[in-house]
Amino acid sequence: MIRDRGDVRERIVSAAMKVFSRYGFFKAPVHLIAKEAGVSKGLVFWYFRSKQELVIEVAKRSLPLEIVDSCLESGLSGEKILECIGKGYLEKYRDPVQRNLLLHAMALETLYKEIAEEMNSLCEERIDKVAERVFGKPSIKGKVALRAFFGGLMCYTLRRPRDIDEEAFLKDLIDITVAGFRNGTAP
Amino acid sequence: MIRDRGDVRERIVSAAMKVFSRYGFFKAPVHLIAKEAGVSKGLVFWYFRSKQELVIEVAKRSLPLEIVDSCLESGLSGEKILECIGKGYLEKYRDPVQRNLLLHAMALETLYKEIAEEMNSLCEERIDKVAERVFGKPSIKGKVALRAFFGGLMCYTLRRPRDIDEEAFLKDLIDITVAGFRNGTAP
Amino acid sequence: MIRDRGDVRERIVSAAMKVFSRYGFFKAPVHLIAKEAGVSKGLVFWYFRSKQELVIEVAKRSLPLEIVDSCLESGLSGEKILECIGKGYLEKYRDPVQRNLLLHAMALETLYKEIAEEMNSLCEERIDKVAERVFGKPSIKGKVALRAFFGGLMCYTLRRPRDIDEEAFLKDLIDITVAGFRNGTAP
Amino acid sequence: MIRDRGDVRERIVSAAMKVFSRYGFFKAPVHLIAKEAGVSKGLVFWYFRSKQELVIEVAKRSLPLEIVDSCLESGLSGEKILECIGKGYLEKYRDPVQRNLLLHAMALETLYKEIAEEMNSLCEERIDKVAERVFGKPSIKGKVALRAFFGGLMCYTLRRPRDIDEEAFLKDLIDITVAGFRNGTAP
DNA sequence: CATGAATGAGCCTTCATTCAT
DNA sequence: AATGAATGAAGGCTCATTCAT
């Protein structure tokens, strides 16, 4: 069998995503992942020291950290960065596999410090950085607004409402975030 | 030990909450729950046909459905109902046990239709009802704003920011939700 | 099924002895022990936290510590105590199961400190105590003689010579031990 | 690295000795041996058809057969041959690796006929030959005395007593063996 | 109601062995 | 000769569930 280096590992990760997304991290047996990847069970443990290592790798990939980071790195600001993040987010989690994995991964935060750290970094540093980029300077209200923005995205992903399409939703959400920040009673 | 009828059942549920919150629903062995509740393992299966039944009961209780319902029933409207929900929500999930359980329960949505239905009811009907109560009449933008509100709460619960206290957060969040809805570019 | 308390545990230990003696501690699968004991595999782990725990219990029982102790406690001295130990030893290891287990258990000394401690206690304190009882007062030569005595027993057990019966062997061995001590070049 | 033919094979055997001595024959994974030898796992199976083959080779080497043989071949007799054997024995098993291997190898006797044969040859033919060389003519008592001698050596090796040095021990042991044989009640 | 011994399915993991390169 | 990816069998152990008492 001719396979690229790294190819197999990636195939295992992909298979794991499918299987984890369907059964959850803990009810998914490794042998199903191997089967889905078309390799032997033993080989999974050649590439990953343990199931937990695979779980954590998959969980990390299913968090939206990279989206936020790439938008931050692109140097955007104001509504543009919200748009960047929103689009990336909605696109990533349009895939039901990723959507489910996100839910499962968030629950892992309780159990594995690696995931907890990613969530920390996402929910505290990153979110505040974005707030500053959007509203110009750090402020409590900006942080709250950003949490509303992020939460709104998550909420939409959790249950895609039938009567609101992605584009319209994102436009409104950005609108609310920005206008809410600017025109509140306590500017 | 004098035990009321139903007392034991409740003790088991409480114990299950602690244990599930710590280990997750699937990594929590029934014997730990029994131990925590101070009863025998067998008794757990007298009150609950299976572990799954217990899991679902605990998961349902850890969702915020009751909070939303009681605020809806109280007849409040406008910002008042947001305040009602916000306070209830923040209070409930201030308890780390409940906070973790919420995360675990959300992931269950993928696996058990009972939980999926609760989430459906919460994220679609309830959220839209509240939107109507807050903004007077149904509108896409109102629904989006409400998702931002709910998402914001969830986001806050997930990581309580050190520099924003509950009361201030809620005030700002309501402010953003309402002002965002009213003063957006496309009313 | 009506079984005495403790009966089951003992049945498992007995089964383990048979199986361990035949396959060695590490090549003996737990399921064979369970089968031999007529119980389920799971039950073995109800009585023993791990296979290792069972291994150590069996290994301890197959060392001759108890024989030496009971002869020491009986207050015997001189040749009598050698006779007591010799008879006990030869009787115990006449059973091929015990004989094999002794070999396997001695090898465990390298791996488990529990066994190492038993061996220590046997080979140092006990052997020297016996030497004192036999020869009246502590002496290097007495210790050496006792080691020859013990070693001789072990050697006989390892390979029962066809042309030397137990009784004769023991008589000669005691004779050599005592006379060797008394009549050596350096008394 | 410049390697002779046969060098690699020997390196593997050496590595196996270290690893087997530490983990025991059955708990020692081949990959550790390969690592210790600085070769790939596959190569071990180029030089040895199976792990068992390697196990048996190492086990055979760690028995004291060669020592006895070389002393027999040297034509020594009387106390001299005991001295030869004793010195060789004590020297070989001064190395903790060899000492542990001896224990592990003795347990193998139960499982592999190759080892059983070696032990047979050692414990019956060889021991009796040596007895004859020491005491001039075959006799039951001589055989017993020789078993005491060998057993004493093994016993010393198993636990080196702190207060008896090798040389003194061997001198006393020979003394006891010889005097025990000559001066017993039943010559 | 209550207990806890007993069961058995299933899971993660290890490891000897093979084989294409 | 040498490598290390790949395999598959087997093992230890956990755990939900049952049931006699």
Side-chain angles (χ1 to χ4, degrees), chain C residues 13-26:
Chain C
V13 173
S14 286
M17 283 181 161
K18 263 192 211 165
V19 177
F20 284 151
S21 123
R22 176 158 177 197
Y23 296 90
F25 286 113
F26 300 122

Side-chain angles (χ1 to χ4, degrees), chain A residues 91-110:
Chain A
E91 191 191 335
K92 175 164 193 173
Y93 299 109
R94 200 182 297 143
D95 175 6
V97 168
Q98 288 293 345
R99 180 262 188 196
N100 285 354
L101 281 177
L102 176 61
L103 284 179
H104 293 309
M106 281 171 58
L108 283 197
E109 185 251 18
T110 313

Side-chain angles (χ1 to χ4, degrees), chain C residues 19-111:
Chain C
V19 177
F20 284 151
S21 123
R22 176 158 177 197
Y23 296 90
F25 286 113
F26 300 122
K27 299 203 83 170
V30 172
H31 76 86
L32 278 192
I33 295 171
K35 199 179 165 191
E36 176 78 34
V39 300
S40 69
K41 211 183 358 164
L43 198 58
V44 175
F45 292 93
W46 173 264
Y47 287 99
F48 299 88
R49 240 184 296 264
S50 65
K51 184 187 172 185
Q52 179 177 325
E53 206 173 294
L54 179 55
V55 163
I56 287 173
E57 169 132 0
V58 169
K60 276 185 180 172
R61 291 200 195 187
S62 59
L63 293 177
L65 204 61
E66 23 156 274
I67 295 170
V68 177
D69 277 348
S70 78
C71 294
L72 276 170
E73 276 164 26
S74 70
L76 296 170
S77 65
E79 297 191 8
K80 290 289 176 197
I81 195 173
L82 292 183
E83 211 171 53
C84 173
I85 290 171
K87 277 188 179 164
Y89 194 98
L90 291 173
E91 190 192 336
K92 177 165 191 171
Y93 299 109
R94 199 182 299 143
D95 176 7
V97 168
Q98 288 294 344
R99 180 261 187 197
N100 286 354
L101 282 176
L102 176 60
L103 283 180
H104 293 310
M106 281 172 58
L108 283 196
E109 186 252 17
T110 313
L111 303 171

Side-chain angles (χ1 to χ4, degrees), chain D residues 150-171:
Chain D
F150 256 97
L153 287 176
M154 199 193 299
C155 216
Y156 183 86
T157 296
L158 204 56
R159 298 275 153 199
R160 310 220 147 210
R162 278 173 245 111
D163 52 350
I164 317 182
D165 69 64
E166 261 184 46
E167 218 168 329
F169 175 81
L170 184 54
K171 202 175 150 297

Side-chain angles (χ1 to χ4, degrees), chain B residues 8-9 11-13 16 20 25 28-35 37-55:
Chain B
V8 176
R9 193 190 141 94
R11 287 234 320 276
I12 292 173
V13 173
F20 284 150
F25 287 113
V30 172
H31 75 88
L32 276 192
I33 296 171
K35 197 180 167 193
V39 301
S40 72
K41 214 184 349 165
L43 199 57
V44 174
F45 287 90
W46 199 90
Y47 286 101
F48 299 88
R49 227 181 311 239
S50 67
K51 183 187 174 184
Q52 180 176 327
E53 209 173 292
L54 179 54
V55 164

